Amino acid sequence: MQYVVEDKKYRFRYAFDSKTGAYIRTGILDDAGKDTGRDPFMASYPHLIDVGIMGHCIHGRTGLCAKAGIGCYQSGMLVSQPNMSVEDFRAVAEQSRGKCNQFALGGRGDPDQHEAFEEILKICRENEIVPNFTTSGYGMTKEIAALCKEYCGAVAVSWYRSEYTENAVQMLLDAGVKTNIHYVLGKNSIDEAIERLVHNDFPEGINAVIFLLHKPAGQGTEANVLSMGDDRVVRFFRLFDVPHPFKIGMDSCSVPGAIQFCKTLLPESLDTCEGGRFSCYIGPDMVMVPCSFDQDRRYAVSLRQTTIGEAWNNEPFERFRDKMRRSCPDCAKRDLCMGGCPLMPEIVLCNTKEIQ
């Protein structure tokens, strides 16, 4: 099913395909319905919801993430809660039908290991929502890969530098799933990232490698945060300007770095932090925040007492958005990045000194 929806409050249209997850939106429309070319600041309802169906990680005690050099930002080694119930997930999906086109399944552990994973995927289909998710790949099976082919838009495998990483990628590719690599980029991994991009050394057949900026949240340390003064950062972003046999992308947290260092990227291809503007996170306990990295829940709203739409327009979310509205007022490029991350200014790869 293909939807075209008009957001009358913020005066723009968006379209999405409920089978593939393809999504576009217009700029703000004038009184005659013509696109002005100015991007809308936010939507009336989140267009993508990061749904944390996992409350605990079955690999937590083994330290799978730590062994791969990745600090779990949701503290999977330390925190254990019940997984999201099917009933709660269904409520989120039914509220979002026809308004939100994608769910990013996540939480504290591999979503494909949820005890009701197949039912969760079917609920998405029933409500014409495209599910995507990221997995370590440790528990991937041919049966799970087949489910992904039937229901998911894409699956990302975290780059854990292990045999099970490559096995999971191959199982997904063999099943015909659009498969990405998610690569966490920090001081401890940027050298490898540069080397692999220079030599195009990622599994053959993947759709894309997406680089995710390391954040000092959960078990992620501040010592691993990249800085503007690191020459490797410049070299890394310059590699976006050369062709590769696979697509390469970045999370919105990396956009300030791309603005600073990429020479040929089109500004129109960059989309800064969408937290609280076009996306949000709902945890397994049905607490909603603008971004999953708000581990301290500074901007939290419980969905036990309110709807997703009401939470979206609640005071905590407005406080979060105001940080982007007020940031860097004198910067010529503010519309491209809005000051970067509202939660952790230390990760923003910018040296203009204007971030507020």
Side-chain angles (χ1 to χ4, degrees), residues 227-233:
S227 62
M228 283 288 291
D230 191 332
D231 291 340
R232 298 175 299 172
V233 172

mmCIF file of all heavy atoms in Angstrom, residues 227-233:
data_model
loop_
_atom_site.group_PDB
_atom_site.id
_atom_site.type_symbol
_atom_site.label_atom_id
_atom_site.label_comp_id
_atom_site.label_asym_id
_atom_site.label_seq_id
_atom_site.Cartn_x
_atom_site.Cartn_y
_atom_site.Cartn_z
ATOM 1 N N SER A 227 37.133 13.496 18.072
ATOM 2 C CA SER A 227 37.241 14.947 18.248
ATOM 3 C C SER A 227 37.655 15.609 16.943
ATOM 4 O O SER A 227 38.257 14.993 16.062
ATOM 5 C CB SER A 227 38.268 15.277 19.335
ATOM 6 O OG SER A 227 39.558 14.806 18.964
ATOM 7 N N MET A 228 37.363 16.892 16.845
ATOM 8 C CA MET A 228 37.687 17.666 15.646
ATOM 9 C C MET A 228 39.185 17.726 15.400
ATOM 10 O O MET A 228 39.637 17.828 14.261
ATOM 11 C CB MET A 228 37.151 19.089 15.789
ATOM 12 C CG MET A 228 35.662 19.209 15.572
ATOM 13 S SD MET A 228 35.200 18.991 13.838
ATOM 14 C CE MET A 228 35.893 20.474 13.113
ATOM 15 N N GLY A 229 39.980 17.672 16.444
ATOM 16 C CA GLY A 229 41.425 17.792 16.289
ATOM 17 C C GLY A 229 42.114 16.533 15.818
ATOM 18 O O GLY A 229 43.338 16.523 15.630
ATOM 19 N N ASP A 230 41.357 15.472 15.586
ATOM 20 C CA ASP A 230 41.925 14.196 15.160
ATOM 21 C C ASP A 230 42.001 14.175 13.632
ATOM 22 O O ASP A 230 40.967 14.212 12.947
ATOM 23 C CB ASP A 230 41.037 13.061 15.679
ATOM 24 C CG ASP A 230 41.666 11.685 15.521
ATOM 25 O OD1 ASP A 230 42.470 11.505 14.592
ATOM 26 O OD2 ASP A 230 41.325 10.787 16.323
ATOM 27 N N ASP A 231 43.206 14.096 13.080
ATOM 28 C CA ASP A 231 43.380 14.092 11.633
ATOM 29 C C ASP A 231 42.659 12.924 10.958
ATOM 30 O O ASP A 231 42.283 13.010 9.778
ATOM 31 C CB ASP A 231 44.864 14.033 11.272
ATOM 32 C CG ASP A 231 45.608 15.314 11.634
ATOM 33 O OD1 ASP A 231 44.932 16.353 11.797
ATOM 34 O OD2 ASP A 231 46.847 15.269 11.765
ATOM 35 N N ARG A 232 42.466 11.848 11.690
ATOM 36 C CA ARG A 232 41.788 10.685 11.111
ATOM 37 C C ARG A 232 40.333 10.986 10.789
ATOM 38 O O ARG A 232 39.765 10.386 9.860
ATOM 39 C CB ARG A 232 41.880 9.501 12.073
ATOM 40 C CG ARG A 232 43.312 9.037 12.354
ATOM 41 C CD ARG A 232 43.317 7.945 13.411
ATOM 42 N NE ARG A 232 42.754 8.409 14.685
ATOM 43 C CZ ARG A 232 42.500 7.619 15.722
ATOM 44 N NH1 ARG A 232 42.763 6.314 15.640
ATOM 45 N NH2 ARG A 232 41.994 8.116 16.840
ATOM 46 N N VAL A 233 39.734 11.903 11.545
ATOM 47 C CA VAL A 233 38.344 12.283 11.288
ATOM 48 C C VAL A 233 38.214 12.908 9.905
ATOM 49 O O VAL A 233 37.299 12.596 9.137
ATOM 50 C CB VAL A 233 37.829 13.238 12.385
ATOM 51 C CG1 VAL A 233 36.454 13.797 12.021
ATOM 52 C CG2 VAL A 233 37.764 12.519 13.731
#
